[in-house]
Amino acid sequence: MSLSTYATVPPTVESGLRIRAENLHRTHGRGRDAVHALRGVDVTFAAGTFTAVMGPSGSGKSTLLQCVAGMDRQTSGTVHWGPTDITALPERRLAQLRRSEAGFIFQAYNLMPAMTVEQNVALPARLAGRRVDWGGVTESLAQVGLADRRRERPGRLSGGQQQRVAVARALFGRPRILFADEPTGALDRSTSREVLWLLRERVDVEGRTCVMVTHDPVAASYADRVVVLADGVLVDDLVRPSAAQIAEKLSGLAC
Ligand code: ADP
Ligand code: MG
C-alpha cells in the first residue's frame, strides 16, 4: 500500500473487534500454594471503545489483560474476539491471530537498542514472516510524530519518545485491538498525556478497541469506561468517570 492510500483509509465503525470474557478463572500453582489471580470474571469490551482496567496491586489486572489478549491461558472460561473463541484455538493459530488482530504496549518499551527506530517498528511483522511495507512503517511513525527520527537508535530518544515508538510498533499492521499494560507507568505527566491521546485518537478516528491497565486515575479518565478489579473479581464498572470520581472509588480499595 502506498503512503497516500494508507493515510486516507476511511475510518469504519467495524474496524474494532468486540472482546468478551466469560467466567474467566486463572489459578497459579496448586493445592495450598494456589493463587487465584482471576475468580470468575465476566466482561465485554465493545468494538471501538476504550476501557481502563484498574484495581489494587495484585488484584489480577495484568492477568486479565494477558488472558483476554491470548498471551496467557485461563484455567477455565472463554474469551471471544468477535465471533472467534480464542481459547479454543491451538497455540499456532492463536499466535497468528494475535499478530494480525492485536497490538501490544507495555510499561517497559522493549525496543531493541541495536536496531533503528523503523527497524523496531517493523520487527513484529518481520517475525511474523510478512513482507515489510516501509511506507506503512513511516506512516505509523508519523502518527506518533516521529517519522523524522526513523533512522536513529532508540537510545537517542527520550523515554516518552521511546514509548511513542512502541505505540507506532503496536499500530503498524493496523490491528483491530490494542492492549496496553501500564503504558504510562514510566512516563512523566506531559509525555503520559501524549501517549494517552494517541490511544484515544486511534479509538475515536479509526474505531479500534483499546483495553488498558493502569493504576493512574488521570490515565483512566481518557477511557470511555473503567472496570475495577479487586481480588480477582470485577467490583465496579464506571462509564466516563472523571479522574476525581475514579480516585474516590479506588480509595476504598487501598490502591
Ligand atoms: P496486578 O496486575 O493487578 O498487579 P497480577 O495479575 O499481576 O496483578 O497478579 C494477580 C495475582 O496473581 C497476584 O497475587 C500475583 O502474585 C499472582 N501471579 C501473577 N502471575 C503469577 C505467576 N506466574 N505465578 C504465580 N502467581 C502469579
Ligand atoms: Mg500488573
Side-chain angles (χ1 to χ4, degrees):
M1 206 184 291
S2 78
L3 228 176
S4 58
T5 48
Y6 191 92
T8 55
V9 169
T12 59
V13 283
E14 304 96 317
S15 63
L17 262 186
R18 173 182 188 262
I19 303 167
R20 166 111 193 99
E22 278 172 296
N23 201 18
L24 215 52
H25 288 256
R26 177 67 169 107
T27 303
H28 296 285
R30 281 167 193 278
R32 280 201 310 171
D33 297 329
V35 176
H36 301 287
L38 297 177
R39 298 184 295 131
V41 173
D42 283 287
V43 67
T44 300
F45 305 113
T49 62
F50 185 177
T51 306
V53 178
M54 302 195 78
S57 179
S59 58
K61 303 182 294 297
S62 293
T63 305
L64 176 63
L65 192 85
Q66 301 223 342
C67 287
V68 296
M71 292 190 292
D72 186 13
R73 291 282 189 181
Q74 74 293 341
T75 306
S76 63
T78 57
V79 176
H80 283 80
W81 288 3
T84 309
D85 179 358
I86 67 160
T87 50
L89 297 178
E91 198 52 51
R92 256 179 82 92
R93 286 274 316 284
L94 178 56
Q96 281 170 349
L97 190 71
R98 234 177 13 227
R99 287 193 197 108
S100 61
E101 301 284 21
F104 298 89
I105 304 157
F106 300 97
Q107 177 169 344
Y109 323 127
N110 300 322
L111 302 177
M112 298 298 214
M115 292 183 174
T116 63
V117 161
E118 65 181 357
Q119 286 169 339
N120 268 282
V121 171
L123 187 60
R126 281 179 50 203
L127 292 175
R130 290 202 293 269
R131 201 177 60 81
V132 174
D133 162 19
W134 291 101
V137 170
T138 304
E139 178 58 27
S140 273
L141 282 164
Q143 283 187 330
V144 304
L146 289 171
D148 57 336
R149 311 297 295 272
R150 65 187 182 277
R151 299 273 153 77
E152 293 182 37
R153 308 245 179 255
R156 294 179 52 92
L157 307 184
S158 69
Q161 289 169 331
Q162 291 187 45
Q163 190 60 309
R164 278 153 54 196
V165 174
V167 172
R169 181 180 56 190
L171 296 176
F172 179 59
R174 306 178 69 76
R176 291 196 281 178
I177 315 169
L178 291 170
F179 294 108
D181 194 347
E182 303 276 7
T184 60
L187 304 179
D188 64 34
R189 196 175 298 177
S190 84
T191 42
S192 293
R193 223 171 13 226
E194 288 172 10
V195 166
L196 292 161
W197 269 119
L198 283 168
L199 297 178
R200 182 71 255 178
E201 207 176 49
R202 283 350 326 135
V203 174
D204 289 344
V205 177
E206 296 164 342
R208 296 182 200 294
T209 309
C210 181
V211 183
M212 172 181 76
V213 168
T214 181
H215 63 262
D216 175 8
V218 175
S221 70
Y222 283 71
D224 300 307
R225 176 180 168 215
V226 176
V227 296
V228 183
L229 274 173
D231 261 335
V233 292
L234 280 188
V235 294
D236 235 315
D237 195 335
L238 314 166
V239 177
R240 288 211 164 269
S242 67
Q245 287 167 325
I246 298 166
E248 193 189 314
K249 280 281 179 196
L250 295 179
S251 62
L253 294 169
C255 284

